[in-house]
Structure formats: structure tokens, C-alpha cells
Short mmCIF file of all heavy atoms in Angstrom, two decimals:
data_model
loop_
_atom_site.label_atom_id
_atom_site.label_comp_id
_atom_site.label_asym_id
_atom_site.label_seq_id
_atom_site.Cartn_x
_atom_site.Cartn_y
_atom_site.Cartn_z
N ASN A 1 0.86 -1.17 0.00
CA ASN A 1 0.00 0.00 0.00
C ASN A 1 0.91 1.23 0.00
O ASN A 1 1.81 1.33 0.84
CB ASN A 1 -0.90 0.01 1.24
CG ASN A 1 -1.72 -1.26 1.35
OD1 ASN A 1 -2.41 -1.64 0.42
ND2 ASN A 1 -1.62 -1.94 2.49
N ALA A 2 0.67 2.14 -0.93
CA ALA A 2 1.60 3.26 -1.05
C ALA A 2 0.88 4.53 -1.45
O ALA A 2 -0.12 4.49 -2.17
CB ALA A 2 2.69 2.94 -2.07
N VAL A 3 1.40 5.64 -0.98
CA VAL A 3 0.85 6.95 -1.31
C VAL A 3 1.99 7.88 -1.69
O VAL A 3 3.07 7.84 -1.08
CB VAL A 3 0.03 7.53 -0.14
CG1 VAL A 3 0.89 7.73 1.09
CG2 VAL A 3 -0.67 8.81 -0.53
N SER A 4 1.77 8.70 -2.73
CA SER A 4 2.81 9.57 -3.24
C SER A 4 2.28 10.98 -3.42
O SER A 4 1.08 11.20 -3.62
CB SER A 4 3.31 9.05 -4.59
OG SER A 4 4.21 9.97 -5.20
N GLY A 5 3.19 11.94 -3.42
CA GLY A 5 2.86 13.28 -3.85
C GLY A 5 2.57 13.28 -5.34
O GLY A 5 3.06 12.43 -6.09
N TYR A 6 1.82 14.27 -5.80
CA TYR A 6 1.35 14.24 -7.18
C TYR A 6 2.43 14.54 -8.21
O TYR A 6 2.24 14.31 -9.41
CB TYR A 6 0.16 15.19 -7.38
CG TYR A 6 0.35 16.63 -6.97
CD1 TYR A 6 1.10 17.51 -7.76
CD2 TYR A 6 -0.25 17.12 -5.82
CE1 TYR A 6 1.25 18.83 -7.39
CE2 TYR A 6 -0.10 18.46 -5.45
CZ TYR A 6 0.65 19.31 -6.23
OH TYR A 6 0.80 20.63 -5.87
N SER A 7 3.58 15.01 -7.79
CA SER A 7 4.66 15.28 -8.74
C SER A 7 5.14 14.01 -9.43
O SER A 7 5.72 14.08 -10.52
CB SER A 7 5.83 15.95 -8.03
OG SER A 7 6.29 15.14 -6.96
N GLY A 8 4.89 12.85 -8.82
CA GLY A 8 5.31 11.60 -9.43
C GLY A 8 4.60 11.29 -10.73
O GLY A 8 5.07 10.47 -11.52
N GLY A 9 3.47 11.95 -10.98
CA GLY A 9 2.72 11.71 -12.21
C GLY A 9 3.12 12.60 -13.36
O GLY A 9 2.50 12.56 -14.43
N GLY A 10 4.14 13.44 -13.18
CA GLY A 10 4.59 14.30 -14.25
C GLY A 10 3.74 15.54 -14.42
O GLY A 10 2.86 15.84 -13.62
N LYS A 11 4.01 16.28 -15.51
CA LYS A 11 3.39 17.59 -15.70
C LYS A 11 1.87 17.53 -15.76
O LYS A 11 1.18 18.41 -15.25
CB LYS A 11 3.94 18.24 -16.97
CG LYS A 11 5.39 18.68 -16.85
CD LYS A 11 5.87 19.39 -18.09
CE LYS A 11 7.29 19.90 -17.93
NZ LYS A 11 7.76 20.59 -19.16
N ALA A 12 1.31 16.48 -16.39
CA ALA A 12 -0.14 16.40 -16.54
C ALA A 12 -0.83 16.26 -15.18
O ALA A 12 -1.83 16.94 -14.90
CB ALA A 12 -0.52 15.25 -17.46
N LEU A 13 -0.30 15.38 -14.34
CA LEU A 13 -0.93 15.18 -13.03
C LEU A 13 -0.68 16.38 -12.12
O LEU A 13 -1.56 16.75 -11.33
CB LEU A 13 -0.41 13.89 -12.38
CG LEU A 13 -1.18 13.45 -11.14
CD1 LEU A 13 -2.64 13.14 -11.47
CD2 LEU A 13 -0.53 12.23 -10.49
N ILE A 14 0.49 16.99 -12.22
CA ILE A 14 0.75 18.20 -11.44
C ILE A 14 -0.28 19.27 -11.78
O ILE A 14 -0.88 19.89 -10.90
CB ILE A 14 2.18 18.71 -11.70
CG1 ILE A 14 3.22 17.73 -11.13
CG2 ILE A 14 2.38 20.10 -11.09
CD1 ILE A 14 4.65 18.05 -11.52
N ALA A 15 -0.51 19.45 -13.08
CA ALA A 15 -1.48 20.46 -13.51
C ALA A 15 -2.88 20.11 -13.02
O ALA A 15 -3.65 21.00 -12.61
CB ALA A 15 -1.47 20.58 -15.03
N ARG A 16 -3.23 18.84 -13.07
CA ARG A 16 -4.57 18.43 -12.63
C ARG A 16 -4.79 18.73 -11.15
O ARG A 16 -5.82 19.28 -10.76
CB ARG A 16 -4.79 16.94 -12.90
CG ARG A 16 -6.18 16.45 -12.53
CD ARG A 16 -6.35 14.98 -12.80
NE ARG A 16 -7.68 14.54 -12.36
CZ ARG A 16 -8.02 13.26 -12.25
NH1 ARG A 16 -7.17 12.30 -12.55
NH2 ARG A 16 -9.24 12.95 -11.84
N PHE A 17 -3.81 18.37 -10.33
CA PHE A 17 -3.97 18.62 -8.89
C PHE A 17 -3.96 20.11 -8.57
O PHE A 17 -4.65 20.54 -7.64
CB PHE A 17 -2.87 17.90 -8.11
CG PHE A 17 -3.28 16.55 -7.60
CD1 PHE A 17 -3.25 15.44 -8.42
CD2 PHE A 17 -3.73 16.38 -6.30
CE1 PHE A 17 -3.62 14.19 -7.97
CE2 PHE A 17 -4.12 15.14 -5.83
CZ PHE A 17 -4.07 14.04 -6.65
N GLU A 18 -3.21 20.88 -9.32
CA GLU A 18 -3.15 22.31 -9.04
C GLU A 18 -4.34 23.06 -9.61
O GLU A 18 -4.71 24.12 -9.11
CB GLU A 18 -1.83 22.87 -9.56
CG GLU A 18 -0.64 22.30 -8.77
CD GLU A 18 0.71 22.84 -9.21
OE1 GLU A 18 0.76 23.50 -10.27
OE2 GLU A 18 1.71 22.59 -8.51
N ASP A 19 -4.97 22.48 -10.65
CA ASP A 19 -6.17 23.11 -11.22
C ASP A 19 -7.44 22.66 -10.51
O ASP A 19 -8.32 23.47 -10.22
CB ASP A 19 -6.28 22.80 -12.71
CG ASP A 19 -5.18 23.46 -13.53
OD1 ASP A 19 -4.56 24.41 -13.02
OD2 ASP A 19 -4.93 23.00 -14.65
N GLU A 20 -7.54 21.35 -10.24
CA GLU A 20 -8.72 20.81 -9.55
C GLU A 20 -8.40 20.75 -8.06
O GLU A 20 -8.06 19.70 -7.52
CB GLU A 20 -9.07 19.42 -10.10
CG GLU A 20 -9.37 19.39 -11.59
CD GLU A 20 -9.67 17.98 -12.07
OE1 GLU A 20 -10.40 17.24 -11.37
OE2 GLU A 20 -9.17 17.63 -13.16
N THR A 21 -8.53 21.86 -7.41
CA THR A 21 -8.06 21.98 -6.02
C THR A 21 -8.90 21.19 -5.02
O THR A 21 -8.54 21.13 -3.84
CB THR A 21 -8.02 23.45 -5.60
OG1 THR A 21 -9.33 24.03 -5.78
CG2 THR A 21 -7.02 24.23 -6.45
N ASN A 22 -9.98 20.59 -5.46
CA ASN A 22 -10.82 19.81 -4.54
C ASN A 22 -10.39 18.35 -4.44
O ASN A 22 -10.96 17.58 -3.67
CB ASN A 22 -12.30 19.89 -4.97
CG ASN A 22 -13.25 19.47 -3.85
OD1 ASN A 22 -13.00 19.77 -2.69
ND2 ASN A 22 -14.32 18.78 -4.21
N ILE A 23 -9.41 17.93 -5.21
CA ILE A 23 -8.92 16.55 -5.13
C ILE A 23 -8.10 16.38 -3.85
O ILE A 23 -7.11 17.09 -3.64
CB ILE A 23 -8.06 16.16 -6.34
CG1 ILE A 23 -8.85 16.28 -7.64
CG2 ILE A 23 -7.53 14.73 -6.19
CD1 ILE A 23 -8.02 16.02 -8.88
N ALA A 24 -8.48 15.42 -3.02
CA ALA A 24 -7.74 15.14 -1.80
C ALA A 24 -6.96 13.83 -1.90
O ALA A 24 -5.89 13.68 -1.31
CB ALA A 24 -8.69 15.08 -0.60
N PHE A 25 -7.49 12.87 -2.66
CA PHE A 25 -6.91 11.53 -2.72
C PHE A 25 -7.26 10.92 -4.06
O PHE A 25 -8.39 11.05 -4.54
CB PHE A 25 -7.49 10.67 -1.58
CG PHE A 25 -7.01 9.25 -1.55
CD1 PHE A 25 -5.85 8.90 -0.89
CD2 PHE A 25 -7.72 8.24 -2.19
CE1 PHE A 25 -5.41 7.57 -0.85
CE2 PHE A 25 -7.30 6.92 -2.17
CZ PHE A 25 -6.13 6.59 -1.49
N ARG A 26 -6.30 10.24 -4.68
CA ARG A 26 -6.51 9.60 -5.96
C ARG A 26 -5.94 8.19 -5.91
O ARG A 26 -4.73 8.01 -5.78
CB ARG A 26 -5.84 10.39 -7.09
CG ARG A 26 -5.86 9.70 -8.46
CD ARG A 26 -5.12 10.54 -9.49
NE ARG A 26 -5.10 9.91 -10.80
CZ ARG A 26 -4.04 9.26 -11.32
NH1 ARG A 26 -2.92 9.15 -10.61
NH2 ARG A 26 -4.09 8.73 -12.52
N ALA A 27 -6.80 7.20 -5.99
CA ALA A 27 -6.36 5.81 -6.11
C ALA A 27 -6.29 5.45 -7.59
O ALA A 27 -7.15 5.84 -8.38
CB ALA A 27 -7.34 4.88 -5.39
N TYR A 28 -5.27 4.73 -7.97
CA TYR A 28 -5.14 4.33 -9.38
C TYR A 28 -4.45 2.97 -9.45
O TYR A 28 -4.24 2.31 -8.43
CB TYR A 28 -4.39 5.40 -10.17
CG TYR A 28 -2.90 5.52 -9.86
CD1 TYR A 28 -1.94 5.04 -10.74
CD2 TYR A 28 -2.47 6.14 -8.69
CE1 TYR A 28 -0.59 5.17 -10.46
CE2 TYR A 28 -1.12 6.26 -8.41
CZ TYR A 28 -0.19 5.78 -9.30
OH TYR A 28 1.15 5.90 -9.01
N GLY A 29 -4.13 2.52 -10.65
CA GLY A 29 -3.58 1.17 -10.81
C GLY A 29 -4.60 0.11 -10.46
O GLY A 29 -4.24 -0.99 -10.02
#
């Protein structure tokens, strides 16, 4: 079980988290 800062997803995910400020948690994989 692992959790990371959003920078690990590259520019697209960084932009998503910084634009959609209501995201608190994202499960994937």
C-alpha cells in the first residue's frame, strides 16, 4: 500500500492537482 505526492505523475498530473483543487486523494492502478 503506497501513497505519493502528485509530482510523481509528471506535468499532466501536477497540472490536474493544481487546477482541480478539490482533489484530496486519488487511487489508481
Side-chain angles (χ1 to χ4, degrees):
N1 304 307
V3 62
S4 173
Y6 55 75
S7 57
K11 290 183 177 180
L13 191 62
I14 292 171
R16 182 180 177 193
F17 265 82
E18 293 181 349
D19 292 342
E20 301 178 42
T21 56
N22 197 37
I23 300 176
F25 178 88
R26 173 182 179 258
Y28 70 106

